[in-house]
Amino acid sequence: MAPNHLLRNLLTESGWTGQKLANHTNDVGAEAGLRLRYDRTSIAHWLSGARPRPPVPELVAEAFTRCLGRRITTADAGLTPATAVAPPPSWRADIVTELRKLCRDGAAHRRTISGCVYSLAALSLPGWGDLATAGVTARPADHGGRLERADVDAAQTMLELFSAADLTFGGGYVRPALARYLQTTIAPWLRLDAAPAVRTDALITAAQLSYLCGFLCFDDELHGVAQRYYLIAARLSHDAGDALHYAISLRALSVQARMLGHRTQAVDLATTAARALPVHAPPLTRAFLTGQVAAAEAAAAEQHHAVTHLRAAEAYLERACDTTPPVGTYHPAALSHHHAAVHACLGDRGAAVSALTQSLRHRPEAERRARAITLARLAELHLDAGELDRACDAWSKFLDEYPYLRSQRAETALATLRSCLRPHTAYAPARSVTHKAAELYRARAA
């Protein structure tokens, strides 16, 4: 085997040791649902010419991309032949083919679809104004049928059903069924002849369903797959000429980036999304996007801007009189959750606790998953403040909701609960909650 000089050059440029590269590779893998344990010995093997199996080369390339601030390919790292590297995805690529392939690969159990790499390079998306002259992607028509208004109405009903099921039971229950629906029904429809108004509404509905499938993957902590669904939703929104749903897709990418710690990208995406909103956008949607701008800015330590946008989100929500849509839901509980995120980032734990408590008070009964995740976060804040009894109470309520959910975020919250309470099991309330959590964990694993 020939030594991998390209990989060594990237290590030198980044200033990383072999162990540092191993750690970052493991971290990027965790975002893709992989549990990796690479160390400096593994890197030494790669430097000597060994090539790890996919998707590890993609993980290494993404780690260097984040560090160096430019796109690094697997070939740049010497981990695949140059001829094996696919060109970066083009905005002009056939979106129907891309959607069908993603749905086929992303419909199975989460263990079989982990490894799709989350990419910072993919977040360099244009503003809506920059897309105005890009035109709509042409698609070969399937002359075997015609798309009618009734078909689009049916798809909207399915969107509402999938969305309601997700809110109550979590993404794990809904994701495989929605992916198959997109693959077998929605994607083929996009090639059928249709009246212009019907085609536009079909594209918007397809974008909404893709967005929702992305969120289900996000809930299952499959971030690479989620990102690809969000990008498809943005593409479909563009093809429909719909700036509002393009903005909503960019907001979703901002939420994901913030949760993964990519703060600069989260702010850029959130502000680009807000600017993309058309003048006729309803106040509810403006609140939905502006609240995320505030949360992203708070995470990036832009305190003044965060507070200003949080107040703007409040004002927009006060003016909202439109009904809550299946995609882009926003209400007082969601606003309070944004308050909590901003205050937590600004170091005001008391205000964050108060906001989460208010969020729970306003949370609609059907939104079980959001209520559970909020309770888990509230418990962590109480524990950080040394309020063990309150933390145990919140975690106990979280455990009441947990059995109804199939959500990797809920699984992560359960693991955090067990880890945080382990040092406190001598205290009876903590011991009781820990025992309850262990029983639920065993029941889920059986």
Side-chain angles (χ1 to χ4, degrees):
M1 292 186 297
N4 189 337
H5 297 296
L6 293 173
L7 182 61
R8 187 172 296 280
N9 290 342
L10 288 173
L11 279 173
T12 301
E13 183 181 357
S14 65
W16 285 352
T17 62
Q19 185 60 55
K20 194 78 168 179
L21 173 58
N23 292 343
H24 283 287
T25 301
N26 294 341
D27 290 343
V28 177
E31 294 174 5
L34 300 172
R35 294 183 178 180
L36 303 178
R37 294 182 176 83
Y38 287 112
D39 56 22
R40 59 185 179 83
T41 305
S42 307
I43 309 305
H45 287 309
W46 301 347
L47 289 169
S48 67
R51 287 178 176 170
R53 285 181 287 186
V56 177
E58 287 79 8
L59 302 176
V60 173
E62 176 62 18
F64 279 124
T65 294
R66 298 179 185 185
C67 174
L68 300 176
R70 69 177 191 277
R71 184 172 183 264
I72 302 298
T73 67
T74 55
D76 294 334
L79 298 178
T80 57
T83 56
V85 179
S90 166
W91 192 263
R92 303 287 296 180
D94 179 48
I95 193 64
V96 176
T97 300
E98 191 174 341
L99 177 61
R100 295 184 78 164
K101 182 181 185 303
L102 178 60
C103 292
R104 181 177 67 250
D105 295 344
H109 192 279
R110 72 181 314 274
R111 284 197 301 267
T112 68
I113 61 173
S114 61
C116 184
V117 181
Y118 178 88
S119 168
L120 284 190
L123 297 181
S124 299
L125 295 176
W128 184 255
D130 298 325
L131 289 171
T133 60
V136 175
T137 304
R139 299 188 185 88
D142 181 350
H143 297 290
R146 183 174 176 83
L147 190 65
E148 303 293 348
R149 172 62 59 187
D151 298 320
V152 179
D153 291 345
Q156 275 290 326
T157 299
M158 293 299 293
L159 171 65
E160 293 171 5
L161 291 172
F162 283 126
S163 179
D166 165 60
L167 288 170
T168 304
F169 300 109
Y173 278 119
V174 186
R175 176 179 50 76
L178 176 51
R180 291 189 184 98
Y181 180 65
L182 280 165
Q183 181 196 7
T184 61
T185 303
I186 299 301
W189 279 358
L190 297 180
R191 293 204 188 278
L192 297 179
D193 289 329
V198 171
R199 173 161 300 283
T200 296
D201 289 348
L203 287 166
I204 293 172
T205 302
Q208 291 175 310
L209 286 162
S210 298
Y211 168 99
L212 180 58
C213 205
F215 181 76
L216 302 182
C217 293
F218 172 86
D219 187 46
D220 242 354
E221 296 184 348
L222 294 165
H223 290 292
V225 186
Q227 182 186 43
R228 289 176 66 188
Y229 274 115
Y230 287 150
L231 291 170
I232 285 174
R235 289 276 310 278
L236 290 168
S237 299
H238 164 252
D239 283 4
D242 191 296
L244 188 147
H245 285 95
Y246 181 77
I248 288 175
S249 300
L250 264 58
R251 179 198 181 276
L253 289 164
S254 172
V255 171
Q256 186 181 28
R258 179 176 69 87
M259 295 298 291
L260 294 176
H262 309 304
R263 297 170 181 175
T264 300
Q265 291 82 1
V267 173
D268 289 345
L269 285 162
T271 53
T272 301
R275 290 170 185 154
L277 279 178
V279 293
H280 58 77
L284 186 70
T285 304
R286 292 193 179 279
F288 180 60
L289 268 67
T290 307
Q292 171 55 24
V293 174
E297 289 171 336
E302 298 180 14
Q303 178 175 350
H304 175 72
H305 293 304
V307 172
T308 298
H309 282 113
L310 194 60
R311 289 172 180 164
E314 290 177 350
Y316 284 131
L317 190 59
E318 286 176 0
R319 289 164 42 197
C321 57
D322 43 323
T323 57
T324 300
V327 166
T329 300
Y330 205 72
H331 43 52
L335 176 63
S336 293
H337 206 275
H338 274 143
H339 270 280
V342 169
H343 289 306
C345 288
L346 300 182
D348 191 345
R349 185 186 293 113
V353 167
S354 177
L356 286 182
T357 303
Q358 186 173 5
S359 179
L360 288 167
R361 189 177 304 121
H362 291 294
R363 181 69 61 181
E365 189 67 24
E367 296 184 16
R368 176 180 284 124
R369 193 258 322 284
R371 187 165 59 250
I373 298 300
T374 301
L375 283 164
R377 176 61 179 147
L378 180 61
E380 292 175 33
L381 289 174
H382 279 314
L383 189 65
D384 288 344
E387 299 169 342
L388 184 55
D389 283 323
R390 290 185 175 180
C392 289
D393 180 64
W395 264 321
S396 181
K397 292 176 181 175
F398 160 77
L399 293 176
D400 290 339
E401 307 284 2
Y402 171 84
Y404 299 94
L405 300 172
R406 288 294 184 273
S407 160
Q408 190 59 33
R409 287 195 293 163
E411 300 297 335
T412 299
L414 180 69
T416 300
L417 180 164
R418 300 180 72 192
S419 174
C420 288
L421 286 185
R422 192 170 293 121
H424 303 283
T425 51
Y427 184 56
R431 186 167 59 251
S432 174
V433 172
T434 302
H435 178 70
K436 183 178 179 181
E439 287 186 334
L440 290 171
Y441 176 81
R442 285 192 295 268
R444 180 63 57 86

